Amino acid sequence: MKITIHRGISQIGGCITEIESASGARLLIDFGHNLPEGEEHSVDKYDTPEELTTLLSGVTDIYYTHYHGDHIGFEAQVHALGIKQHMGELSIKMESILKKHMCGAPSLKEHATQSLTAINAFIPYKAGQTEQVGDIAITPYFVSHSAIDAHMFLIQCDGKTVLHTGDFRDHGYMGKGLLKNIDYNIVPKHVDVLITEGTMLSRDSIKMKTEWDLQEEFKNVFSKYKYCFVLSSSMDADRFTTLYQATHKVNPERPLVVDSYQQRLIKLVGKTMGSIYAPTSSYDFYMKKKASLLRLMRWKGFTMMVRNSESMRRNIADLMSLIGPDRLNQVAFVYSQFSGYINDKHKAFNQATYDFVHAYDWHIEEIHTSGHASREALTAVCEHVNPSTAIIPIHREAGSDFCSLPISDELKAKVLTESKVVNDIEIVIK
């Protein structure tokens, strides 16, 4: 077996892992775009056709852990090369809704149309069902993440076993099953190599907030402020559920308002996932009986999920006029995304997002938790999996130290960040 970390050993986002068997079967796990910095478009060497073709030469399949843009981003180019692409069924449907929505923007239409054609050809996998790529066996298992349909992969070939965690966390609504899943499905397979994310390694060690913690914080804000705008990811089903639960607990008659695109995502998740996501409901701001919705919003207050788009900015302006300047002290804007985007000292700072958040003299709150594993969760996964040969930390900032985790000295000795041949496994780290 040969494992190649093409990208990710010292950067968050854009990770690419290759698995090759002794017989020459080859697959990739994730092939996403580099993350942008600030308002600049992300620069990626694989935007160059020659570089992309060289990377994919001999690769027959790509398995995506989830639909975030730093894990999937070259699907149109990959599709043109005839390489099979695999993702969870719900992820495919959500990504399809996103691309159809993007087709409505003239500047994005061409790229989104090409991407949609590729996504419609994706092959869905199912958790717990093993698939074969030549003599490589790959089995997906569900993990909790800020993408609702995320998976880790157990890969077996040449008598070796690898676990690629993808992005995960244990503080989302379905995160409590993480270690039980690993103990039941992964530990009996005797993992040789653990490839795991390390996003939070170099960030503060404050106890990670759960989505239940966020519910309480949102409830406090919604209790104090009658009219609340919330900026969060439209693709984060956990966060929508948190907003719904907090809003409903404050006042069952208070509407949770979204736009038509968000409504399509919400209905899809509720229909597919059931359980905690099933009872959620929301009002489409563009519904036919908009006048009655506006009366309800003015009377009962509202929680409104917003996006930084031209149409949404117009909607907010109309609502602010409806509310009136004499009730500005009843208006709050809650920012529920990565704090770096509105921190002018951070490399990810985005002026347009900052301006959107500060567009009015309303009360501003930040309520958020990461979609990634805490240091405690990373430690627990390493200890439970207990790989016999190596731990490879990816999706982490340059300079972060995986050995700073409180894992055993035996596990620390297995952490690899440089190329090495160990236990008949060739590990190449670029």
Side-chain angles (χ1 to χ4, degrees), residues 297-312:
M297 293 171 71
R298 192 173 189 274
W299 181 34
K300 296 295 184 180
F302 61 80
T303 302
M304 185 170 183
M305 292 179 65
V306 297
R307 297 180 294 110
N308 188 8
S309 66
E310 183 178 347
S311 61
M312 186 64 76

Side-chain angles (χ1 to χ4, degrees), residues 19 114 220 234 289 308 324 337 353 371 382 400:
I19 306 294
Q114 294 172 350
N220 290 336
S234 299
K289 297 180 180 180
N308 188 8
Q337 292 183 325
T353 301
C382 288
S400 62

